[in-house]
Amino acid sequence: MYNTLETSLENGILIVTINRPEKLNALNKDVFSDIETVVREIEGNIAIKAAIITGAGSKAFVAGADISEFNDLDKSGAKQLALRGQNIFFLIERCSKPIVAAVNGFALGGGCELAMACHFRIASENAKFGQPEVNLGLIPGYGGTQRLTQLIGKGRAIEMLISGSMLDAPTALQHGLVNYVVPQAELLEKTKSVLQVIITKAPLAVGACISAVNSSLDPSQNGFEKEIDAFGECFATADMKEGTSAFLEKRKANFQGK
Ligand code: COA
């Protein structure tokens, strides 16, 4: 179904593996269009409750945009590429179902940006994060300057962007770029176990949390108003009635996403 991705659905969790290990899973046009398709599938398919994005092989999550596709671009082509990349990464960020990056190695350039567009990140001990675009006479184009600043703060983000230097996994954890660091052999199991808990929660409430948090970082929205609206909307869901009844009846809630 996909040229550049492998997917497998396990207990409601779609594991998406970017599969170009010989090019360290660099994001070329085909990978981008496959990612766009798979995120639409995650959003639309009721059998999928959450997703993990990871990279094939033990070396790289994604080592960036495919630099070999940059040669033919002029100024306007480059802007179109950045716009397309940003729009696809917005699809991930705005997905109502949790999408977590399991960062299994280098997450550089567009790879770091892809990981940052996910709702949160879990890294293996060998993971390395960087925005090395200045080495190429470039800057990030897929949201990296914005999301890095949001995640690790302005001073750290600027240093990382203008030095092109990489953060190792323990430093990424210390800076809040990742939520956990685990041995590489345990990365997928850890990510699945975190998501297994999340997918037992009320799906509409989970989606509303993601959306309200996103609003806090969107200057065109008032996140506090968004929270009030979403809080009210939850009261119109069957799952809210089920969740509160289950609590009062001292039983486990059985959420339907309605
Ligand atoms: N775009 C295209 N190809 C890439 C790539 C990228 N971003 N990153 C790695 N590759 C390719 C290499 O060209 C090489 O291909 P080849 O075997 O056909 O020559 C293959 O992947 C393996 O990479 P290599 O550089 O040989 O591995 P390494 O272990 O020596 O170095 C990195 C690993 C990640 C440090 C190095 O590949 C690198 O710096 N990549 C580019 C990172 C970057 O600048 N990303 C931002 C892009 S905007």
Side-chain angles (χ1 to χ4, degrees), residues 22-24 26 59 63-68 70 106 108-110 132-133 136 138 166:
E22 70 291 351
K23 294 290 178 189
L24 305 187
K59 193 166 165 184
D66 191 320
I67 298 168
S68 67
F70 284 179
F106 288 113
L108 302 178
E133 287 86 349
L136 306 169
L138 285 174
M166 294 186 207

Side-chain angles (χ1 to χ4, degrees), residues 109-130:
C112 189
E113 293 170 293
L114 170 63
M116 293 192 295
C118 292
H119 297 128
F120 57 90
R121 290 139 293 283
I122 299 179
S124 58
E125 287 165 342
N126 63 316
K128 288 207 161 45
F129 295 81

